[in-house]
Amino acid sequence: MIEVKNITKSFDGRAVLKDISATFEDGKTNLIIGRSGSGKTVMIKNIIGLMKPDIGQILYDGRDLITMNKHELNMLRREMGMLFQGSALFDSMTVMENVMFPLDMFSKDSTKERRKRAEFCLERVNLSEAGHLYPSEISGGMMKRAAIARAISLNPKYLFCDEPNSGLDPKTSLLIDDLIHDITVEYNMTTVINTHDMNSVMNIGDNIIFIKEGVKEWQGTKEQVITSNNRALNDFIFASDLFRKVKEVEMQEEEG
Ligand SMILES: Nc1ncnc2c1ncn2[C@@H]1O[C@H](COP(=O)(O)OP(=O)(O)OP(=O)(O)O)[C@@H](O)[C@H]1O
Ligand SMILES: [Mg+2]
């Protein structure tokens, strides 16, 4: 579990995150949603310690990241897997070498064991056949899956994904969402995902934190999204045509 307590972050006197508190639970896909520029990436960067909030606490199963020294932070980082906008694979390495990379860097296991682990991760994302290929030789969806395999190679407790579906078609996006959700449940990870994709919200929104202009406006589940009366949330989701229709039907059923 990750607990964010009252974090505020400003740039040049302009507050981008305003007194945000939120809880991210184990074995769940925790989504941070909001318009472009609302502060999602800044939020995730603060959570993983790439940026330091001006005020607030960030607790990883009770351990406060803010007060950690460099060594403690490095140790905590090994419990994190990350998947950032774009897949950020190393172009000069094969898929297999990409997945091996964190293992070679941080694992004390033998070469044989590291290779076995990498093969296991590739198999988990259905890429066993593509290990010898270079990123330029595979599709965008495959790159995402390779990046997921790399992110889980060290068996992380916490997984962070910033817009994992950017650049993918809707069907491939669903597959990636499902994969992230499945491994989250399977390994009981605390997964935090930034998205503004309503399909993802309704597909894997176990726990949703909605941010508007740096303020946490609402928190709930995908089921609660449908019946929420929060105006800002409704404005955000009504921007999605398909979703407006779903919600209208739901409301009619409630009234009728
Ligand atoms: N390093 C920085 N220095 C100054 N301002 C920044 C910095 N990083 C982010 N910001 C500002 O913080 C605000 C929130 O940005 P952020 O990247 O978190 O938005 P976002 O919700 O992730 O948007 P998107 O959906 O487009 O990725 C923006 O106004 C941005 O310009
Ligand atoms: Mg962003």
Side-chain angles (χ1 to χ4, degrees), residues 11 20 37 43 72 76 87 101 107 116 125 144 188 212:
F11 297 108
I20 293 193
M43 173 98 172
E72 289 167 330
L76 178 65
S87 65
F101 185 78
S107 171
K116 222 172 119 187
V125 301
K144 282 280 145 79
N188 198 33
K212 187 189 169 195

Side-chain angles (χ1 to χ4, degrees), residues 33-95:
I33 67 168
R35 292 227 165 94
S36 187
S38 56
K40 302 182 297 296
T41 296
V42 171
M43 173 98 172
I44 224 168
K45 282 184 176 168
N46 276 276
I47 296 174
I48 63 181
L50 275 181
M51 272 181 190
K52 207 172 173 163
D54 308 326
I55 315 168
Q57 281 183 310
I58 295 159
L59 305 177
Y60 279 78
D61 292 301
R63 301 166 292 173
D64 189 358
L65 174 140
I66 307 293
T67 57
M68 283 182 187
N69 63 34
K70 221 172 166 171
H71 175 71
E72 289 167 330
L73 189 58
N74 278 335
M75 296 308 284
L76 178 65
R77 282 252 165 75
R78 294 189 197 177
E79 299 175 35
M80 301 180 190
M82 294 172 202
L83 188 68
F84 278 129
Q85 247 162 325
S87 65
L89 294 174
F90 303 114
D91 292 326
S92 60
M93 295 183 191
T94 63
V95 166

Side-chain angles (χ1 to χ4, degrees), residues 43-200:
M43 173 98 172
I44 224 168
K45 282 184 176 168
N46 276 276
I47 296 174
I48 63 181
L50 275 181
M51 272 181 190
K52 207 172 173 163
D54 308 326
I55 315 168
Q57 281 183 310
I58 295 159
L59 305 177
Y60 279 78
D61 292 301
R63 301 166 292 173
D64 189 358
L65 174 140
I66 307 293
T67 57
M68 283 182 187
N69 63 34
K70 221 172 166 171
H71 175 71
E72 289 167 330
L73 189 58
N74 278 335
M75 296 308 284
L76 178 65
R77 282 252 165 75
R78 294 189 197 177
E79 299 175 35
M80 301 180 190
M82 294 172 202
L83 188 68
F84 278 129
Q85 247 162 325
S87 65
L89 294 174
F90 303 114
D91 292 326
S92 60
M93 295 183 191
T94 63
V95 166
M96 177 55 128
E97 286 164 353
N98 266 281
V99 178
M100 284 290 284
F101 185 78
L103 293 163
D104 292 341
M105 289 282 284
F106 297 117
S107 171
K108 290 185 177 70
D109 293 343
S110 67
T111 311
K112 200 177 152 192
E113 280 170 317
R114 294 202 301 270
R115 216 179 155 84
K116 222 172 119 187
R117 173 72 191 162
E119 276 164 5
F120 171 84
C121 293
L122 280 178
E123 199 181 313
R124 183 62 194 81
V125 301
N126 243 322
L127 275 186
S128 297
E129 309 300 317
H132 64 290
L133 298 174
Y134 285 88
S136 61
E137 298 174 314
I138 60 178
S139 71
M142 290 165 85
M143 284 190 216
K144 282 280 145 79
R145 283 189 276 143
I148 292 171
R150 188 177 61 183
I152 63 169
S153 64
L154 288 167
N155 214 348
K157 257 184 100 155
Y158 314 98
L159 180 66
F160 300 94
C161 313
D162 196 356
E163 308 278 356
N165 292 334
S166 62
L168 299 179
D169 64 78
K171 204 167 169 185
T172 308
S173 295
L174 279 179
L175 291 176
I176 296 296
D177 281 347
D178 287 341
L179 177 60
I180 294 173
H181 189 262
D182 288 350
I183 57 180
T184 296
V185 174
E186 209 170 307
Y187 306 122
N188 198 33
M189 289 187 292
T190 305
T191 297
V192 181
I193 304 171
N194 278 354
T195 187
H196 40 61
D197 181 352
M198 276 312 293
N199 288 324
S200 299

